[in-house]
Amino acid sequence: MPALVSAIIPTYNRARDVRIAVATALAQTYRPIELIVVDDGSTDGTAEALRQEFGDRLRCLAKPNGGVSSARNAGLAAARGEYLALLDSDDEWLPTHVEAQVAFLESHPDFGMVLTDVMRMDAERRDYELYRRREFLPVDGHILPWVLRNPSLAPASAAFRRAVYEDVGGFDETLRTAEDLDFHLRVALRWKVGVVEQPLTRAMRGHDGLSASANTYRDYLAVVEGFVERHADQVRPRDRDAALLMAYARNARGLFHAGEAREALRCAARGTARVRSAQDAAVIWGLYVALVKGAVVRARRLLPGRAGGGPRR
């Protein structure tokens, strides 16, 4: 008898999008799948829309609004499967997504989690970028050094054993954003992680989420800084410095584009203090060049006679 997979979909006021997500989960070539939708206090008729379209082919759990982490955790706690798979309500799975992930975990009994490549799509569900995991995770296995440098987890691309959830716990409900990065780091610290090199996940960006806000960059930094501090005895100094340098550099760019120029410069300075090699120096140099170019572009836009600048007539 094949192992049961529990697919967990948290949703809040996405009655249209969640139906697409559910349809892709029900279209999987793998069986058996237990589909759990956690309605996190929606007010747009989500639960009724799901009942009308899918009936008893899914379990719909209703709870007061508490955020995506609490919704995911409610689904994880209710799941009965040996394997657990995540699918956000605006994302999609290709038909062989679960089949490929289960095959990987079955053939690698000492691995805890498996990821797929991700095709990113815009708010109109048009593909625009392929995220290849191998560009950031060059090996399968103990990948913590690479995850520290780039803790990027599209939850819809992840499947893991129940034992992983029982070991590391669920998602941190105190985090407004970056909860997926925190989960990725905690799993990579204790378990082997593998990659299926196929774009079997479609993930939406540029929707109504929080991924572009300045608070997201602050949460990201807090997660990385907190992790390396808590696990200083398990993280090599070189990996710690590289992780912090990359986090400061990445988030300096993000904060600048979010309009937080002063905080971006402070972040860049903290990254500069972590330079330990010529490669590190090149990263920081590229960061400062990008910040200066961005500042010049903004200044030109404010000049009289420029598009978007000067007084209105």
Side-chain angles (χ1 to χ4, degrees), residues 192-266:
K192 291 182 179 180
V193 178
V195 173
V196 172
E197 296 182 60
Q198 301 175 54
L200 300 177
T201 306
R202 299 184 73 225
M204 186 175 289
R205 294 295 178 267
H207 194 39
D208 55 354
L210 301 168
S211 59
S213 72
N215 284 334
T216 297
Y217 299 112
R218 298 185 184 99
D219 288 346
Y220 179 108
L221 285 176
V223 165
V224 175
E225 290 173 332
F227 184 88
V228 297
E229 181 179 347
R230 288 192 304 274
H231 303 288
D233 58 333
Q234 296 168 280
V235 177
R236 297 179 304 177
R238 176 66 189 112
D239 292 332
R240 176 202 63 209
D241 289 337
L244 292 172
L245 182 146
M246 294 301 293
Y248 292 139
R250 184 177 296 111
N251 287 278
R253 291 174 186 262
L255 287 164
F256 183 84
H257 289 298
E260 302 281 349
R262 288 187 178 181
E263 191 168 350
L265 288 173
R266 285 195 292 267

Side-chain angles (χ1 to χ4, degrees), residues 7 36 51 56 74 90 133 145 148 175 181 208 221 263 279:
I36 301 172
R51 278 194 296 269
D56 60 1
D90 55 350
R133 290 284 178 181
L148 278 167
L175 292 170
L181 313 184
D208 55 354
L221 285 176
E263 191 168 350
Q279 184 178 8

Side-chain angles (χ1 to χ4, degrees), residues 62-142:
K63 62 179 288 295
N65 181 254
V68 66
S69 291
S70 69
R72 286 197 191 112
N73 288 343
L76 289 167
R80 298 186 291 250
E82 179 181 342
Y83 298 119
L84 308 173
L86 304 172
L87 177 57
D88 283 351
S89 59
D90 55 350
D91 294 342
E92 303 175 17
W93 286 342
L94 270 63
T96 58
H97 177 103
V98 173
E99 180 181 356
Q101 291 188 311
V102 170
F104 182 95
L105 291 171
E106 293 283 347
S107 63
H108 297 79
D110 56 334
F111 277 60
M113 184 164 76
V114 60
L115 311 171
T116 74
D117 290 342
V118 177
M119 179 60 72
R120 290 174 170 144
M121 56 182 174
D122 63 20
E124 302 302 320
R125 296 188 177 274
R126 296 173 299 213
D127 296 341
Y128 72 89
E129 181 182 33
L130 176 58
Y131 177 40
R132 300 182 188 276
R133 290 284 178 181
R134 282 287 179 243
E135 293 180 7
F136 304 99
L137 303 177
V139 299
D140 292 331
H142 295 294

